[in-house]
Amino acid sequence: MSSESIYAGVLLKADEVQLVFGQTVNGGVVALRNPVPRFRSYQEGRFDRRHPITRQNREAVLRAIGQHIASVPGSVRRIGCGSYGPVHSVSLEDRDALLFENVDRQEALERHLNYGRVRETSTHQALKGLRVYHTLREGLERSRIEVIVHTDVTCGALAEAYGRSIRRPGVRLHGPHDVLVFLHIAEGVGGAYVVGTEPGRSALHPEMGYQSGLVVGGDRWGERLAAERKSTNKAVFIEDLLSIDALLQRWKDDQGKSVGDRELSLDGLPKKYWKTVPDYIAQLCASAVVMLAPHQIVLHGPVVHSAPPRLLKDVRAGLRNWLDVRGIGPIVSYREMLDDRYAFIDIPLDLGLEPDEAGVPKHEPMLKGALLLAAQADYKRRPDSDAEIKEFSPRSRP
C-alpha cells in the first residue's frame, strides 16, 4: 500500500446515490487498539456528490458512478458500497465463487450473481432487484478496482465503531472485541452490529426491522393494523409501526379527506404521534440486548433526528420496562447498560473521525462507513493485551 491511498464510498438510499472519495493521510492511523484510517478530502472534496435515482434510471446512474470512479486522477484502491436491503448476499465467498476450483460451476455462477443484489421484497421501489455489485462493475469496465458491498446499516455501524475507537470526552471508548448495534429508522427500519470493527459474520445480514412488534397501549392505529393482520395470519413488524410512512399514515388517517393532496412531513408531525415512538424503539433495543448484549446501541435516521428532544431519555426508560420481568427486575442487566458516565443508547457522533481536526471530511455515518468499508482491509487491528502480543509474536520453529 502506498503512503497515501485513495478510496471511494458509495451509498444507495431510497431515492439517491451518494458518492465520496477519501485519501489516507500518509498511510497513518489513529494509534489505538482499533487502527483508524485517517482521511482527508480527495481533490478538495469536489467528488462528494448526490445523484437522484428512480426505477428507470438507477442502472444508468450506477454505471456512470463506476465510470467516474475509474476515471479520477490517481488510482482508486477499493470501493466500499452500502445499500438499503434486503440483499441476497454480502458474502465475499459468493462474490469470488467463480475463482474457486472446488465449487460446481453452475452453483458458483448463481452465488456470484446474487452478490450485492437487492431482493424484490425491498420496500424501496427504486432499488427492488437492483444488481448493485454487477452494475457498478459494468461502469468500471476493465478497471481492476475491488468492490465490496454490504448493507447501509452495517456501514453505519462501522463508522460509529471506528469513531468511538478514538478517545473523546464523554464518549465510551470502543474496544476491539466490543459489540456495537446501529439502528436506522427511516422509510424502513434496519439494524446491524459489529464486533470491534468487523461486521457480524452470519449466513446473511440482520434485518432487525422485521422482528414482530407488540402494539403498545394507546396506539389505536397499530391496534387496527394488528387486527387486520391477524385475520390473515400475518405478523405486524416493528417496521410497520415505526417507519416514516407508518407515522405519517396515522396523521393522514386522522385528517381524512381534509388532507387532500397536501404533502405531510415529519417536521410538522404533531406531538401526539410521537408518544409511541420511544416504546417501539425500546422494543428493538430490548431484542438487541437479549440476543447480542451489546456494549452500545446507536440510533440514527430521520425518525430519530426529527423526534422531540426527550427521545433518548424515553427510549432508555422504555428499555428498562421491556426488560422487566413481572416487577422483579430486569432479565438482563450489565455494567455497560448502567454506567451513567456514558450513553448506552446514543445518537451518532460528529461525523469526522478525528475530533476537532481541520480538513477532515465529515459525512453522515453510513456514507463515512462505506468509505471505511473500502479502506479497512488495509488496516489491521493491533494486539491490545500482553496475551495477544505474545500470540502475535513470531514463534520459533521446533
Side-chain angles (χ1 to χ4, degrees):
M1 183 177 63
S2 63
S3 60
E4 293 188 349
S5 297
I6 304 165
Y7 300 93
V10 177
L11 179 66
L12 282 83
K13 305 184 76 170
D15 55 6
E16 71 175 12
V17 182
Q18 298 179 4
L19 169 65
V20 64
F21 287 84
Q23 188 168 17
T24 51
V25 181
N26 296 323
V29 298
V30 178
L32 291 172
R33 295 177 296 174
N34 285 327
V36 181
R38 299 175 63 232
F39 296 104
R40 61 183 173 87
S41 295
Y42 181 63
Q43 296 285 309
E44 299 178 352
R46 284 185 287 137
F47 296 124
D48 184 3
R49 300 179 175 179
R50 296 171 182 265
H51 304 266
I53 57 169
T54 64
R55 181 91 175 174
Q56 289 69 41
N57 75 352
R58 59 190 193 173
E59 283 89 359
V61 169
L62 209 50
R63 288 191 198 99
I65 287 174
Q67 291 169 354
H68 177 62
I69 293 173
S71 69
V72 299
S75 177
V76 175
R77 184 172 178 82
R78 195 176 294 109
I79 302 169
C81 186
S83 174
Y84 279 28
V87 180
H88 277 275
S89 172
V90 292
S91 166
L92 293 179
E93 287 79 9
D94 288 345
R95 183 195 69 177
D96 301 334
L98 290 170
L99 302 177
F100 301 143
E101 295 180 358
N102 60 340
V103 178
D104 176 76
R105 185 74 180 176
Q106 184 60 37
E107 178 191 346
L109 180 61
E110 291 174 1
R111 289 172 56 181
H112 177 67
L113 291 176
N114 273 334
Y115 180 74
R117 179 161 67 94
V118 180
R119 287 181 176 270
E120 289 287 350
T121 54
S122 174
T123 59
H124 311 296
Q125 293 299 319
L127 299 180
K128 286 177 178 285
L130 178 60
R131 297 165 61 243
V132 175
Y133 172 77
H134 293 278
T135 307
L136 193 56
R137 281 242 63 95
E138 289 170 10
L140 291 169
E141 295 177 340
R142 296 182 180 180
S143 171
R144 298 177 65 85
I145 302 172
E146 182 183 4
V147 179
I148 301 174
V149 179
H150 220 301
T151 60
D152 59 326
V153 283
T154 295
C155 291
L158 278 176
E160 286 301 307
Y162 273 111
R164 293 165 191 270
S165 297
I166 302 167
R167 290 192 183 277
R168 301 168 185 263
V171 176
R172 182 185 181 277
L173 185 64
H174 181 80
H177 306 295
D178 289 357
V179 175
L180 181 143
V181 169
F182 183 88
L183 299 174
H184 178 66
I185 306 169
E187 299 88 357
V189 176
Y193 71 98
V194 292
V195 181
T197 52
E198 285 294 318
R201 303 294 181 185
S202 49
L204 184 57
H205 58 76
E207 276 295 328
M208 296 184 183
Y210 286 97
Q211 73 172 57
S212 295
L214 182 63
V215 177
V216 301
D219 184 5
R220 294 182 179 178
W221 184 90
E223 290 171 354
R224 289 196 298 270
L225 178 64
E228 292 171 6
R229 295 285 178 86
K230 186 176 181 180
S231 66
T232 57
N233 293 320
K234 300 291 186 182
V236 176
F237 301 123
I238 287 289
E239 178 170 293
D240 298 323
L241 300 165
L242 186 56
S243 67
I244 293 174
D245 285 347
L247 294 178
L248 295 182
Q249 193 61 52
R250 289 173 170 86
W251 191 10
K252 290 177 183 177
D253 287 354
D254 283 351
Q255 288 194 320
K257 294 182 180 179
S258 64
V259 70
D261 295 328
R262 186 157 50 93
E263 187 71 24
L264 303 181
S265 71
L266 290 180
D267 292 336
L269 190 69
K271 288 185 178 179
K272 67 177 183 178
Y273 297 106
W274 289 106
K275 289 182 179 178
T276 59
V277 168
D279 258 332
Y280 289 128
I281 296 177
Q283 286 189 55
L284 277 173
C285 294
S287 294
V289 166
V290 296
M291 288 190 285
L292 296 172
H295 297 77
Q296 195 149 38
I297 299 173
V298 178
L299 307 179
H300 178 55
V303 171
V304 173
H305 299 303
S306 299
R310 288 182 51 90
L311 178 72
L312 285 184
K313 182 178 179 181
D314 290 343
V315 170
R316 292 166 190 153
L319 175 62
R320 290 192 294 271
N321 179 62
W322 283 103
L323 294 176
D324 191 63
V325 179
R326 300 184 184 88
I328 299 171
I331 188 65
V332 174
S333 180
Y334 47 87
R335 176 169 50 85
E336 287 77 7
M337 293 175 63
L338 306 174
D339 193 337
D340 291 334
R341 294 174 299 170
Y342 310 115
F344 174 65
I345 298 175
D346 203 359
I347 57 175
L349 299 176
D350 185 14
L351 303 178
L353 282 182
E354 293 76 36
D356 303 322
E357 185 168 339
V360 174
K362 301 181 185 297
H363 309 285
E364 77 107 65
M366 296 190 296
L367 182 59
K368 173 72 81 171
L371 191 60
L372 287 161
L373 183 68
Q376 71 171 159
D378 297 329
Y379 294 86
K380 303 300 182 183
R381 187 175 71 81
R382 298 170 183 173
D384 66 308
S385 69
D386 289 345
E388 282 197 298
I389 290 170
K390 184 177 180 181
E391 181 69 19
F392 277 76
S393 298
R395 298 179 181 179
S396 58
R397 295 182 178 179

